[in-house]
Amino acid sequence: MDLLSALSLGELALSFSRVPLFPVFDLSYFIVSILYLKYEPGAVELSRRHPIASWLCAMLHCFGSYILADLLLGEPLIDYFSNNSSVLLASAVWYLIFFCPLDLFYKCVCFLPIKLIFVAMKEVVRVRKIAVGIHHAHHHYHHGWFVMIATGWVKGSGVALMSNVEQLLRGVWKPETNELLHMSFPTKASLYGAVLFTLQQTRWLPVSKASLVFSFTMFMVSCKVFLTATHSHGSPFDVLESYICPVLFGATLGADHHHDNHGGHGGAHGGSPGAAHSPLPSKLKEELSEGSRKKKAKKAD
Amino acid sequence: MDLLSALSLGELALSFSRVPLFPVFDLSYFIVSILYLKYEPGAVELSRRHPIASWLCAMLHCFGSYILADLLLGEPLIDYFSNNSSVLLASAVWYLIFFCPLDLFYKCVCFLPIKLIFVAMKEVVRVRKIAVGIHHAHHHYHHGWFVMIATGWVKGSGVALMSNVEQLLRGVWKPETNELLHMSFPTKASLYGAVLFTLQQTRWLPVSKASLVFSFTMFMVSCKVFLTATHSHGSPFDVLESYICPVLFGATLGADHHHDNHGGHGGAHGGSPGAAHSPLPSKLKEELSEGSRKKKAKKAD
Amino acid sequence: MDLLSALSLGELALSFSRVPLFPVFDLSYFIVSILYLKYEPGAVELSRRHPIASWLCAMLHCFGSYILADLLLGEPLIDYFSNNSSVLLASAVWYLIFFCPLDLFYKCVCFLPIKLIFVAMKEVVRVRKIAVGIHHAHHHYHHGWFVMIATGWVKGSGVALMSNVEQLLRGVWKPETNELLHMSFPTKASLYGAVLFTLQQTRWLPVSKASLVFSFTMFMVSCKVFLTATHSHGSPFDVLESYICPVLFGATLGADHHHDNHGGHGGAHGGSPGAAHSPLPSKLKEELSEGSRKKKAKKAD
């Protein structure tokens, strides 16, 4: 990593970290976020019948990360809405995506090569948000490791962590699932990224912030573009988790197919109180994994 | 409007804007708000079995607007509860409406001529709250148009915007509907009023605040008294919206009977992704409009 | 009471109020709190499949009171999480209770005599939290009686008052019940304790804070230990409430068997709007009391 900063890559990272996000990158963030809102079942019908509710959902998709971080840090929830230009830009994107004549705008941004560019740019914004969020939390709580990680996480995940609330605004209620129970790739990556940036901020990770932003952005961009291009819903963390989770927690995160791991340490608990408390584990697992599959099939951000 | 301020109406508006709200107008606000709580199915049974939950719901009905505005602006949620006299007054009204011997108090305030006076006075409080809320938000965010409108809106709408939470306290859960999906007249009027007061506050509307408060109060009072007296659930905005919404959003707000508007600009979208995402639009529309009718039939604030 | 402070009991109370809570008492609090999380149906399965959601629920069980009080007083929700040592201790307890090999830790702390000690120590923490919460609220709102009571109440009740949110994180949703509708003994005792401490704080109760903390702790410890040891879910307040509630509210709190009280003052309302609004009161009551019984059967904190 020190080598990397010695090379011209270090300078590249530094100038990359100085590129302003507004308006081009923010625009991409808004476009991709509202695109995923439009993919939700019933969202188009909602925009026709209840434009105000639809607009509010679009704002949550665009600014959910700020709202959640403000909530955690005790700042005004509505603080970010004082950036009139951002809100107007997001509103314009919402209007164009839902109400553009002949659906031209939607068709353009859904064209895969264009969409991939926007997806890549969205990840640039996401990583920058994580870094800024952790810097901000560090300013308030110098030794608050958990505060920093939590702030970075919600800044990266955004509306996903408040999906139940966002659905409720649209009159949809799915209490049996939420982002914590079925984490998508960006949510997990934001969590791991928040841990990395917190380590960097507290000087346990001996790299410059610019290098970390640059390399984590490259990782996120390549993963997300690959996943979007292949319509895949896997996660590059699956392999790692399938090794670590059985050791730490006696089972993999939401995976039922790692039966080879169910011996020794992990298996010792599998048969204990878990079985006593859940008399129908196999049926439940089946249902849960089905729910997970459905959820994944419809979610792609 | 300048003419109006030149006349003695200007002076009338000014002295009207100086009338203190506490205790007479606040009392009317509490009476009408808790009256509507008592109309909710199961509210009386709740007050007998769970007085604390019932009292808390009554407080939300009386002070919901302050709680929401405090949440948005990052102030203590419980801030307004430090006004002991207001809380005691509201508690007394709650006790009298639910537990007065022979139900005398309830029968008195439900007597239509008396109720109309209270309804009129409630609207005076509502408009004043909107104006004060926007002034307060303007103090924090000088150019925060969206912040001002949102603060004024929640100050005017109050508990309606948090109806799901209020119902949950009573053990009732209706996720398929909320105030955003089926806006009542006061909620819509508060939104439009908040826009007007924001324009006034930022000097885009060349009238004095006192005049605007006075004229908007007159409008609200006359509309609300007329709607309450005729047990009507229409809204004077329906005509306006049926013209504007088809042009802007390709459909009217929750109205299915404006088929004559479904050509040209608006109709172009009607057949696009909306239809693709909602294979049963007619059935859904039927259900939704039924829900809307039921909701309207039972709500009258 | 003055007599009590004159005796050496006064000195005992003073030195008792100076005992530091961290780490021993806090540890007991965490152990008992997370124990009750493990008793919840599906919690063990959740910990295997979704460790992060399980960890977050455990944190809510341990720190819910701080989060709620911070929300009410407009402070950062995540404020308490800057105490790294507390969070790490709670996390260690969570890990040991859910993932300890052979479930040794769980079996140890569930052994009744040991559990009773932890339960007693948890009550010590609870009473101290109520006292600190009211002191803190008094600092912000000198004459805010309602603010002080509310803050003390949420500090004492903790996660119970946000049980719907906590369940939602685990994918469980039971809107028809909540802690307000079926108050457990600790929640009620916290409310009454908050009233007492508020009276003390505002000098209406002529005792020293140390004496009140000491005597209220003794009361809570003896009640909770007795209730836990006998697996009882009654409440020492039931007798008192069955006398007061019929007079004040025309019915007892969630009790159907006090038919002898249903004459005179209370009965006068029983037959009025309550009956008009709920055509099936007997069936409803049956269902509700059944719900209450089930709830009680499963809850023991």
Side-chain angles (χ1 to χ4, degrees), chain B residues 50-51 77 79 84 95 103 168, chain C residues 72 141 143 178 181 248 253 273:
Chain B
H50 310 290
L77 287 199
D79 193 65
N84 295 325
Y95 192 83
D103 229 19
L168 187 57
Chain C
L72 287 186
Y141 297 95
H143 300 287
N178 63 50
L181 300 182
L248 278 179
L253 281 164

